[in-house]
Amino acid sequence: MAISIKQQYRSEIGVISEILQVTMNCGMQGTIISSIARIANLSHYTAIEKCQKLIDFGLVELRTDKKSRNFVITEKGIKFYQEMQKFLEIAQEIKIRY
């Protein structure tokens, strides 16, 4: 008997939250886009698109060197992530889908 696992719908805020969490967990050395995509379960293209949005708003920065391109959460990104987690906890308590 096969068990069907329904793919959980993720809103953009949920995806953004996951990306910020991945970059925060990687600290100041940051992480490459393929790691973000893998850990957040996103396509490479979607990960790049969402990271660019976060860069545009100053929540993440791109640091490049000769070998790699690392995405690093900014101080503003950390504060935004912490506030978003408070909101998501309340949303979950009152059963708002996010």
Side-chain angles (χ1 to χ4, degrees), residues 2-4 7 11 20-21 34 43-44 50 52 54 57 60 62 65-68 73 75-76 79-80 87 89 93-94:
I3 297 174
S4 171
Q7 177 65 35
S11 65
L20 288 173
Q21 184 175 13
S34 59
S43 72
H44 187 80
K50 300 303 181 194
Q52 186 58 56
L54 293 172
F57 286 100
V60 170
L62 180 61
D65 62 27
K66 290 178 181 147
K67 295 185 286 183
S68 62
I73 194 165
E75 193 65 39
K76 180 179 175 183
K79 289 178 183 166
F80 180 81
F87 166 78
E89 283 177 26
E93 285 176 22
I94 59 176

Side-chain angles (χ1 to χ4, degrees), residues 22 26 30-41 44 47:
V22 170
C26 292
T31 188
I32 58 175
I33 194 70
S34 59
S35 292
I36 293 171
R38 180 177 35 80
I39 296 167
N41 195 27
H44 187 80

Side-chain angles (χ1 to χ4, degrees), residues 6 11-12 14 16 23 26 32 42-43 60-61 78 88 92:
K6 184 179 176 197
S11 65
E12 186 168 20
I16 294 297
T23 57
C26 292
I32 58 175
L42 300 169
S43 72
V60 170
E61 64 183 30
I78 292 169
L88 293 176
Q92 197 171 29

Side-chain angles (χ1 to χ4, degrees), residues 7-19:
Q7 177 65 35
Q8 183 71 6
Y9 169 80
R10 292 190 298 171
S11 65
E12 186 168 20
I13 197 166
V15 171
I16 294 297
S17 175
E18 287 183 42
I19 292 171

